[in-house]
Amino acid sequence: MPHDQPASAPGPAPADASDHDPAEAPFLGLLATGAAAEEYERPVLRARAGGAAAARLAALERAKLLALRVRTELEDRRRREAELSALYATAHDLAGLRDLDAVLRAIVRRARSLLGTEVAYLTLNDPAAGDTYMRVTDGSVSARFQQLRLAMGEGLGGLVAQTARPYVTDSYFHDERFRHTRTIDSGVRDEGLVAILGVPLLLGSGVIGVLFAADRRERVFEPAQVALLAAHAAHAAVAIDTANLLAETRKTLTELEAANEIIRDRSSVIERASDVHDRLTELVLRGGGVQDVADAVAEVLDGDVEFTEPGRAPAAALDRSRADGHAVRDGADWVAAVRAGGEVLGALVLRGHPALDPVDQRTLERAAMVTSLLLLARRTAGEAEQRVRGELLDDLLDAAARDPRLLRERAARVGADLDAPHVVLAARMSGAPISDGDGPPRPDGTDRRRLWSAASHLAATRHGLAAVRDGGAVLLLPLEPDGDPAHTAREIAARLGTALHVPVTVGASAPVPAPAARPAAVADAYAEARRCREALCALGRAGQGAAAADFGFLGLLLADTRDVDGFVHRTLGTVADYDARRGTELLRTLGAYFACGMSPARTKDELHVHVNTVAQRLERVGRLLGPDWQTPARALEIQLALRLHQLSAAVTRETEE
């Protein structure tokens, strides 16, 4: 019988082949199959039960945590993708509806579906009653709840409508952030609602209603759910507007498609917006100018961007941008107001770019904000120079005996040439004045500062001077050799009025040939400019600009120098020139016509000519002076000019004799 083999001695247990696998290996399969979170514990438990080494267990634990993080991230991405798809589908469905009731019902149903709540409802604002009322519900069973009306600030919905911000409560009856009323609380209690989320329906800058999602149990609405409902509400507001304005259907659909494109391209949009922000920040930090900002934005937006002064920007578009606070479209261009407080400093105009997406529009608006900061910084730096300019003008007005050499030196330091012809302008805002009880009404101090700031800015850009005086502003501006003081007054009135958004009345003096050589002439010219300004106000022409020449014979009384010859030439120059060229007697006929009570029959006897000759001459006068030459106002000026012309001719004859 063969001998039995000796028993083998017990040895170590064979190593588990999984001990040599990477720690991540068990979890990759779980990620691939979308396993539940609790399944990720099994590889660790099996390894621990199998007596795996501590290092192996630690590696598996780390791999498990990493895998769970990856799983959470994947779930979040799938959820966001599903939400965005649902949101786009919602927007697409809403855009296809035409009836307002159908639109509202679709909005509420989809809101309930998106958030998985038991109830959803929508309220609309009633501008006439000043409150908001229940319009559509989905999942509601209470008639009292369906007929609720909420005053602004009452209940959660009234608070959302008043503040235009989302509000959420986990437990409505225990939330003291909003004002509870018996009527609203009774309706909510009848419906059995506990957790409520409300977001505003925004159209432009106004709230047209509130969209709600609610449960009959306590529930925490996550920030992502608030954002989702808010996004849905944004689409809903557009859809409501579309239903009310059927003519805007195609435009609204385009906007929704553009919104979907923005969602798909979100990453690139954020990167581009960040690049713009970095470039503008760098410009500010390195002391760049307005043109640098315009060039940077032009490069980013691939267009032509220009900064324009308030008077040169499209007025209607500039006003809309200032009031709305956003860039607005003006034909094929976009205009963004550059403003500081209530003052408009200019505008950034993007030319030839009619299709501008919201992100690029925001870029233009941000550039306008940076431009305003740069302009304010430049203005602050220039305030010292403006004070110097004001002090120099004060000296010209108050100290006629100043040394001309010192005046020239001070003017040169601020870029002014007081040996060139200038015009003095007296400006005043035409708003309601304020009386302090001790004197005549005076403008408010804030208005004076605004007027001085705008006038100083104009003076600096034109190498002139400006100061505050007598409740208004006085400017000393260079005048071209062929410049017209009246035209300058009208231009300055328009530019100051545009900058300040109130009418500004401006009177102009006659030209001052060389202010440094004759400082006293500046004070006389200012007195004349003030008289012209007050005459405009007295004649009901506040907010305009004029010089003495604009007032006809009244200008002879307003002007410091009685320019009789100028008045006569402005009134009768065309007739006198015609007589001189043709050898006619139109002036003599005109004088006889007025002397005979404007009767052609008596005039022909006075002149010893045929009545047809008188008629022909008067017809020629009408063509030279204009069709209104016989109106009372024009006739008075013409007669006064005729008398002055006759007196001047008599004086000339006596002098020659």
Side-chain angles (χ1 to χ4, degrees):
M1 183 174 182
H3 296 286
D4 293 336
Q5 296 295 326
S8 300
D16 190 343
S18 65
D19 288 348
H20 302 289
D21 293 339
E24 296 84 356
F27 301 104
L28 292 178
L30 295 175
L31 286 173
T33 58
E38 55 269 17
E39 294 294 327
Y40 288 75
E41 292 290 340
R42 295 187 183 277
V44 180
L45 294 175
R46 283 199 299 269
R48 186 176 289 116
R56 174 66 177 178
L57 292 175
L60 286 171
E61 191 68 31
R62 288 193 299 271
K64 179 195 73 174
L65 295 177
L66 180 61
L68 287 173
R69 286 175 56 190
V70 172
R71 178 182 180 277
T72 301
E73 180 66 23
L74 289 174
E75 287 185 347
D76 287 344
R77 291 192 178 187
R78 283 193 292 269
R79 178 180 54 79
R80 286 196 296 269
E81 182 179 355
E83 289 175 348
L84 291 176
S85 297
L87 191 61
Y88 174 69
T90 299
H92 187 273
D93 293 344
L94 292 177
L97 298 175
R98 298 295 183 270
D99 179 66
L100 179 59
D101 289 335
V103 169
L104 296 177
R105 286 193 298 270
I107 290 169
V108 174
R109 281 198 304 270
R110 189 57 65 95
R112 184 182 177 190
S113 172
L114 284 174
L115 269 69
T117 57
E118 296 172 294
V119 180
Y121 52 99
L122 181 146
T123 63
L124 292 180
N125 287 3
D126 185 347
D131 62 4
T132 181
Y133 64 96
M134 193 73 68
R135 183 66 171 79
V136 177
T137 64
D138 190 66
S140 170
V141 295
S142 167
R144 179 186 299 184
F145 180 77
Q146 296 166 10
Q147 298 172 5
L148 279 179
R149 297 189 75 97
L150 298 79
M152 293 299 178
E154 290 183 354
L156 185 141
L159 188 60
V160 174
Q162 183 181 52
T163 63
R165 295 176 55 189
Y167 275 85
V168 60
T169 178
D170 303 336
S171 179
Y172 177 85
F173 292 100
H174 296 92
D175 198 328
E176 299 300 328
R177 291 177 300 165
F178 44 84
R179 179 150 47 99
H180 290 264
T181 67
R182 178 178 300 176
T183 302
I184 299 173
D185 286 358
S186 297
V188 174
R189 188 175 287 108
D190 278 1
E191 191 61 55
L193 300 182
V194 177
I196 304 175
L197 165 61
V199 297
L201 291 168
L202 294 170
L203 194 59
S205 59
V207 178
I208 63 172
V210 181
L211 180 62
F212 299 87
D215 269 344
R216 297 186 175 93
R217 55 183 172 79
E218 290 193 4
R219 169 180 174 174
V220 176
F221 288 98
E222 300 294 336
Q225 294 174 316
V226 176
L228 179 62
L229 189 61
H232 177 55
H235 290 303
V238 174
I240 292 172
D241 188 45
T242 302
N244 287 328
L245 305 171
L246 295 178
E248 297 291 332
T249 301
R250 181 172 297 177
K251 176 181 177 183
T252 302
L253 179 58
T254 302
E255 291 174 350
L256 292 174
E257 292 173 350
N260 179 56
E261 184 66 25
I262 290 174
I263 293 172
R264 290 200 301 265
D265 299 336
R266 179 60 55 188
S267 177
S268 62
V269 166
I270 293 175
E271 182 178 351
R272 184 173 60 182
S274 176
D275 178 59
V276 172
H277 175 76
D278 292 343
R279 295 185 64 174
L280 294 179
T281 301
E282 181 185 357
L283 279 175
V284 174
L285 293 177
R286 66 179 174 83
V290 172
Q291 188 58 46
D292 295 325
V293 174
D295 292 342
V297 177
E299 182 178 347
V300 172
L301 299 184
D302 191 22
D304 180 18
V305 178
E306 177 188 4
F307 173 75
T308 61
E309 299 287 341
R312 299 180 181 275
L318 183 60
D319 287 340
R320 285 190 289 121
S321 178
R322 177 188 62 82
D324 190 47
H326 296 289
V328 299
R329 185 172 172 179
D330 181 46
D333 303 336
W334 283 82
V335 178
V338 177
R339 57 196 179 97
E343 181 182 359
V344 175
L345 306 177
L348 282 183
V349 181
L350 174 62
R351 303 194 183 281
H353 220 309
L356 197 63
D357 64 51
V359 174
D360 289 340
Q361 181 180 343
R362 179 59 182 156
T363 296
L364 185 62
E365 294 165 0
R366 182 179 299 171
M369 185 183 305
V370 172
T371 301
S372 69
L373 293 175
L374 292 176
L375 290 175
L376 286 177
R378 189 173 67 184
R379 174 181 292 182
T380 301
E383 283 184 354
E385 178 183 334
Q386 292 173 359
R387 283 193 293 271
V388 171
R389 292 176 183 273
E391 291 168 359
L392 177 55
L393 182 52
D394 283 334
D395 286 346
L396 285 169
L397 292 169
D398 297 331
R402 290 282 183 180
D403 184 352
R405 180 179 58 83
L406 294 178
L407 290 175
R408 292 186 180 94
E409 290 177 358
R410 292 171 60 188
R413 285 197 290 270
V414 293
D417 179 11
L418 295 185
D419 287 319
H422 282 65
V423 61
V424 177
L425 301 143
R428 188 170 64 192
M429 298 170 68
S430 299
I434 297 173
S435 175
D436 55 14
D438 296 327
R442 57 178 177 78
D444 177 73
T446 301
D447 289 342
R448 284 202 305 271
R449 286 191 295 273
R450 292 177 60 212
L451 178 59
W452 174 78
S453 178
S456 296
H457 177 67
L458 273 177
T461 58
R462 291 174 173 243
H463 304 289
L465 307 176
V468 174
R469 182 164 290 237
D470 303 321
V474 53
L475 298 92
L476 181 66
L477 300 182
L479 191 65
E480 296 295 329
D482 56 348
D484 179 15
H487 174 76
T488 303
R490 288 190 288 272
E491 179 188 0
I492 296 302
R495 296 192 64 177
L496 290 177
T498 300
L500 300 175
H501 298 286
V502 294
V504 178
T505 309
V506 178
S509 71
V512 181
R518 294 182 58 244
V522 178
D524 294 338
Y526 172 55
E528 177 182 337
R530 285 187 64 194
R531 288 195 293 271
C532 291
R533 183 188 68 193
E534 299 309 319
L536 282 172
C537 294
L539 294 172
R541 294 170 56 186
Q544 301 181 22
D550 293 320
F551 294 96
F553 70 89
L554 181 59
L556 296 176
L557 305 176
L558 298 174
D560 266 343
T561 57
R562 304 293 185 256
D563 185 12
V564 174
D565 291 339
F567 169 71
V568 172
H569 180 74
R570 288 192 298 272
T571 307
L572 298 174
T574 55
V575 179
D577 292 344
Y578 188 89
D579 279 348
R581 290 195 310 270
R582 304 293 183 90
T584 55
E585 294 185 331
L586 296 184
L587 279 180
R588 179 167 173 262
T589 302
L590 194 56
Y593 177 67
F594 283 116
C596 294
M598 302 175 71
S599 168
R602 289 199 294 272
T603 302
K604 61 99 174 173
D605 294 335
E606 176 70 21
L607 298 176
H608 304 292
V609 296
H610 195 276
V611 69
N612 289 342
T613 301
V614 174
Q616 292 170 1
R617 292 179 181 178
L618 294 179
E619 182 182 358
R620 173 63 62 182
V621 168
R623 286 200 292 270
L624 293 173
L625 295 182
D628 64 338
W629 71 278
Q630 295 190 75
T631 60
R634 284 292 306 279
L636 178 61
E637 287 195 357
I638 293 170
Q639 292 179 69
L640 179 58
L642 284 169
R643 293 292 183 89
L644 293 173
H645 176 69
Q646 293 165 1
L647 290 174
S648 177
V651 170
T652 301
R653 286 195 301 272
E654 290 178 2
T655 303
E656 292 175 351
E657 293 175 357

